[in-house]
Structures are given as C-alpha cells and as structure tokens.
Amino acid sequence: AQYIANSAGTAPVSMVANQEIDAAGKITLKESSRGEAYLALELPFDRAWASLGRALTKSTFEIVDRDRSTGVYYTRFLGPDSQEEDGWFDWLWDSEEEHPHAGDTFIVSVETVSATAVTIHLRPQGPEVALDLRDQQALLSLIRGNIN
C-alpha cells in the first residue's frame, strides 16, 4: 500500500510525458494523389487543434485569425528569427537572403479523418503566393517538428 501511495504522485507526470512522446510519434508527412503535401496526425480534433496552435507560434507563424468551428488558422509566415534558425533555413532553401515565403499568408486547416485522427493542410491564402511541393513540405516539416 505504501508503494502505491509513494508512486501515485509521479504517475500523472509520466503520463503527460508519454503523451507528448506519443504525439510526436504519430505524425507523418504525406503526399496526396493530387501532389499536395499534408500532415497526418493520430490525435482527436480537440487535442490536434491546440497542439497545432502552439506549433504554429513556435514555427514562426503569426496567427492572424482562427475559426475553430471550421478548423482553420489564418497565418502569416514570419520566417527565421534567429541566427540558429537562419542556418537551418539557409540549408533548406539554399539562400542567404530573406526566406522566400517570409510575410506570405497561409491557411492552415485541421480536417477530421476519424475520432482519433486528423489531417493538417497548408495552403496559400491568395493566388499571389506560389507554393511548390518542396516549399510546402518544408513548411509542414517545420510545423511537424513543433507539434507535441
């Protein structure tokens, strides 16, 4: 009985840590039959919505507006904000100048697949933003790296 009482205080912390690890392990970058990149995430909508909001901020997206009922974030990509990130982005986009999509606006949507799975799509908000598959994959990978 004493063992259970002593270990009860640590169980919730372990469960939360396992959930964060599990979330990172249940997310994959995929490509649709139409040639569009997206993230598949094995989480219910509520948890995916909250995780995506935090990930967007960490990934240097400014959330301009959001509509939870339709599962849409309206965002502006700010680009890298530190020397460390500059180095990573320079490697990814092979450029020493400002990121080519810095300042561009995107719609990031969460679409329910099942009770325990969603997909996350990133699309330009307007026709003036040309987003090829490579850049779409790179931006989604950046978001993926910050989902927990």
PDB file of all heavy atoms in Angstrom, residues 9 11 17 24 34 56 58 67 71 74 78 82 101 103 105 113 137:
ATOM      1  N   GLY A   9       2.086   9.996  -6.875  1.00  0.00           N
ATOM      2  CA  GLY A   9       2.420  11.378  -7.206  1.00  0.00           C
ATOM      3  C   GLY A   9       3.209  11.511  -8.497  1.00  0.00           C
ATOM      4  O   GLY A   9       3.193  12.546  -9.137  1.00  0.00           O
ATOM      5  N   ALA A  11       2.875   9.361 -11.216  1.00  0.00           N
ATOM      6  CA  ALA A  11       2.158   8.803 -12.356  1.00  0.00           C
ATOM      7  C   ALA A  11       1.644   9.872 -13.322  1.00  0.00           C
ATOM      8  O   ALA A  11       1.843   9.742 -14.523  1.00  0.00           O
ATOM      9  CB  ALA A  11       1.012   7.914 -11.886  1.00  0.00           C
ATOM     10  N   ALA A  17       4.231  13.058 -19.989  1.00  0.00           N
ATOM     11  CA  ALA A  17       5.437  12.911 -20.798  1.00  0.00           C
ATOM     12  C   ALA A  17       5.220  11.891 -21.902  1.00  0.00           C
ATOM     13  O   ALA A  17       5.630  12.100 -23.045  1.00  0.00           O
ATOM     14  CB  ALA A  17       6.613  12.498 -19.915  1.00  0.00           C
ATOM     15  N   ALA A  24       4.360  13.031 -30.987  1.00  0.00           N
ATOM     16  CA  ALA A  24       5.409  13.211 -31.980  1.00  0.00           C
ATOM     17  C   ALA A  24       5.572  11.959 -32.833  1.00  0.00           C
ATOM     18  O   ALA A  24       5.902  12.037 -34.005  1.00  0.00           O
ATOM     19  CB  ALA A  24       6.721  13.571 -31.292  1.00  0.00           C
ATOM     20  N   ARG A  34      -3.177  14.197 -55.507  1.00  0.00           N
ATOM     21  CA  ARG A  34      -3.123  15.442 -56.289  1.00  0.00           C
ATOM     22  C   ARG A  34      -1.761  16.125 -56.194  1.00  0.00           C
ATOM     23  O   ARG A  34      -1.572  17.213 -56.720  1.00  0.00           O
ATOM     24  CB  ARG A  34      -4.209  16.407 -55.816  1.00  0.00           C
ATOM     25  CG  ARG A  34      -5.619  15.907 -56.031  1.00  0.00           C
ATOM     26  CD  ARG A  34      -6.650  16.950 -55.625  1.00  0.00           C
ATOM     27  NE  ARG A  34      -6.329  17.615 -54.377  1.00  0.00           N
ATOM     28  CZ  ARG A  34      -6.937  17.399 -53.212  1.00  0.00           C
ATOM     29  NH1 ARG A  34      -7.906  16.525 -53.141  1.00  0.00           N
ATOM     30  NH2 ARG A  34      -6.580  18.060 -52.137  1.00  0.00           N
ATOM     31  N   LEU A  56       2.386  26.315 -34.536  1.00  0.00           N
ATOM     32  CA  LEU A  56       2.478  27.422 -35.486  1.00  0.00           C
ATOM     33  C   LEU A  56       3.280  28.576 -34.896  1.00  0.00           C
ATOM     34  O   LEU A  56       4.156  29.140 -35.564  1.00  0.00           O
ATOM     35  CB  LEU A  56       1.077  27.898 -35.883  1.00  0.00           C
ATOM     36  CG  LEU A  56       0.301  26.972 -36.814  1.00  0.00           C
ATOM     37  CD1 LEU A  56      -1.151  27.408 -36.908  1.00  0.00           C
ATOM     38  CD2 LEU A  56       0.949  26.913 -38.188  1.00  0.00           C
ATOM     39  N   LYS A  58       5.515  28.463 -32.471  1.00  0.00           N
ATOM     40  CA  LYS A  58       6.920  28.045 -32.342  1.00  0.00           C
ATOM     41  C   LYS A  58       7.621  27.987 -33.695  1.00  0.00           C
ATOM     42  O   LYS A  58       8.833  28.103 -33.765  1.00  0.00           O
ATOM     43  CB  LYS A  58       7.002  26.669 -31.685  1.00  0.00           C
ATOM     44  CG  LYS A  58       6.659  26.655 -30.224  1.00  0.00           C
ATOM     45  CD  LYS A  58       6.762  25.238 -29.695  1.00  0.00           C
ATOM     46  CE  LYS A  58       6.329  25.132 -28.258  1.00  0.00           C
ATOM     47  NZ  LYS A  58       6.370  23.735 -27.782  1.00  0.00           N
ATOM     48  N   ASP A  67     -10.648  30.060 -36.782  1.00  0.00           N
ATOM     49  CA  ASP A  67     -12.054  29.683 -36.740  1.00  0.00           C
ATOM     50  C   ASP A  67     -12.105  28.208 -36.376  1.00  0.00           C
ATOM     51  O   ASP A  67     -11.980  27.339 -37.239  1.00  0.00           O
ATOM     52  CB  ASP A  67     -12.718  29.944 -38.092  1.00  0.00           C
ATOM     53  CG  ASP A  67     -14.205  29.622 -38.082  1.00  0.00           C
ATOM     54  OD1 ASP A  67     -14.707  29.051 -37.090  1.00  0.00           O
ATOM     55  OD2 ASP A  67     -14.871  29.938 -39.092  1.00  0.00           O
ATOM     56  N   GLY A  71     -12.086  24.631 -38.299  1.00  0.00           N
ATOM     57  CA  GLY A  71     -10.742  24.048 -38.201  1.00  0.00           C
ATOM     58  C   GLY A  71      -9.686  24.804 -38.976  1.00  0.00           C
ATOM     59  O   GLY A  71      -8.753  24.207 -39.505  1.00  0.00           O
ATOM     60  N   TYR A  74      -5.696  31.270 -39.850  1.00  0.00           N
ATOM     61  CA  TYR A  74      -5.218  32.202 -40.866  1.00  0.00           C
ATOM     62  C   TYR A  74      -3.889  32.721 -40.341  1.00  0.00           C
ATOM     63  O   TYR A  74      -3.828  33.281 -39.237  1.00  0.00           O
ATOM     64  CB  TYR A  74      -6.216  33.343 -41.069  1.00  0.00           C
ATOM     65  CG  TYR A  74      -7.555  32.842 -41.555  1.00  0.00           C
ATOM     66  CD1 TYR A  74      -8.573  32.512 -40.655  1.00  0.00           C
ATOM     67  CD2 TYR A  74      -7.791  32.664 -42.916  1.00  0.00           C
ATOM     68  CE1 TYR A  74      -9.793  32.026 -41.107  1.00  0.00           C
ATOM     69  CE2 TYR A  74      -9.018  32.185 -43.365  1.00  0.00           C
ATOM     70  CZ  TYR A  74     -10.001  31.866 -42.463  1.00  0.00           C
ATOM     71  OH  TYR A  74     -11.203  31.382 -42.905  1.00  0.00           O
ATOM     72  N   LEU A  78       6.462  34.371 -40.702  1.00  0.00           N
ATOM     73  CA  LEU A  78       7.396  35.448 -40.404  1.00  0.00           C
ATOM     74  C   LEU A  78       8.821  35.131 -40.848  1.00  0.00           C
ATOM     75  O   LEU A  78       9.638  36.028 -40.987  1.00  0.00           O
ATOM     76  CB  LEU A  78       7.375  35.757 -38.905  1.00  0.00           C
ATOM     77  CG  LEU A  78       6.002  36.155 -38.344  1.00  0.00           C
ATOM     78  CD1 LEU A  78       6.070  36.336 -36.845  1.00  0.00           C
ATOM     79  CD2 LEU A  78       5.470  37.393 -39.042  1.00  0.00           C
ATOM     80  N   SER A  82      16.219  33.944 -35.773  1.00  0.00           N
ATOM     81  CA  SER A  82      17.495  33.931 -35.049  1.00  0.00           C
ATOM     82  C   SER A  82      18.566  33.353 -35.944  1.00  0.00           C
ATOM     83  O   SER A  82      18.289  32.734 -36.962  1.00  0.00           O
ATOM     84  CB  SER A  82      17.383  33.098 -33.763  1.00  0.00           C
ATOM     85  OG  SER A  82      17.304  31.722 -34.096  1.00  0.00           O
ATOM     86  N   HIS A 101       9.291  32.910 -48.447  1.00  0.00           N
ATOM     87  CA  HIS A 101       7.878  32.997 -48.070  1.00  0.00           C
ATOM     88  C   HIS A 101       7.650  33.865 -46.833  1.00  0.00           C
ATOM     89  O   HIS A 101       6.532  33.905 -46.312  1.00  0.00           O
ATOM     90  CB  HIS A 101       7.292  31.602 -47.863  1.00  0.00           C
ATOM     91  CG  HIS A 101       7.144  30.862 -49.153  1.00  0.00           C
ATOM     92  ND1 HIS A 101       6.229  31.222 -50.123  1.00  0.00           N
ATOM     93  CD2 HIS A 101       7.825  29.809 -49.655  1.00  0.00           C
ATOM     94  CE1 HIS A 101       6.344  30.420 -51.153  1.00  0.00           C
ATOM     95  NE2 HIS A 101       7.307  29.547 -50.906  1.00  0.00           N
ATOM     96  N   GLY A 103       6.503  36.704 -44.741  1.00  0.00           N
ATOM     97  CA  GLY A 103       5.451  37.692 -44.982  1.00  0.00           C
ATOM     98  C   GLY A 103       4.251  37.154 -45.738  1.00  0.00           C
ATOM     99  O   GLY A 103       3.220  37.813 -45.798  1.00  0.00           O
ATOM    100  N   THR A 105       0.930  34.896 -46.534  1.00  0.00           N
ATOM    101  CA  THR A 105      -0.176  34.436 -45.696  1.00  0.00           C
ATOM    102  C   THR A 105      -0.642  33.057 -46.155  1.00  0.00           C
ATOM    103  O   THR A 105      -0.684  32.772 -47.361  1.00  0.00           O
ATOM    104  CB  THR A 105      -1.349  35.433 -45.733  1.00  0.00           C
ATOM    105  OG1 THR A 105      -1.740  35.649 -47.091  1.00  0.00           O
ATOM    106  CG2 THR A 105      -0.964  36.748 -45.085  1.00  0.00           C
ATOM    107  N   VAL A 113     -10.464  13.102 -39.765  1.00  0.00           N
ATOM    108  CA  VAL A 113     -10.492  11.873 -40.554  1.00  0.00           C
ATOM    109  C   VAL A 113     -11.318  10.823 -39.816  1.00  0.00           C
ATOM    110  O   VAL A 113     -12.110  10.108 -40.401  1.00  0.00           O
ATOM    111  CB  VAL A 113      -9.061  11.351 -40.812  1.00  0.00           C
ATOM    112  CG1 VAL A 113      -9.074  10.012 -41.524  1.00  0.00           C
ATOM    113  CG2 VAL A 113      -8.256  12.375 -41.587  1.00  0.00           C
ATOM    114  N   GLN A 137       6.290  21.074 -48.307  1.00  0.00           N
ATOM    115  CA  GLN A 137       6.833  20.025 -47.440  1.00  0.00           C
ATOM    116  C   GLN A 137       7.740  20.621 -46.365  1.00  0.00           C
ATOM    117  O   GLN A 137       7.696  20.210 -45.212  1.00  0.00           O
ATOM    118  CB  GLN A 137       7.607  18.998 -48.261  1.00  0.00           C
ATOM    119  CG  GLN A 137       6.742  18.135 -49.125  1.00  0.00           C
ATOM    120  CD  GLN A 137       7.543  17.277 -50.094  1.00  0.00           C
ATOM    121  OE1 GLN A 137       8.662  17.613 -50.476  1.00  0.00           O
ATOM    122  NE2 GLN A 137       6.963  16.152 -50.495  1.00  0.00           N
TER     123      GLN A 137
END
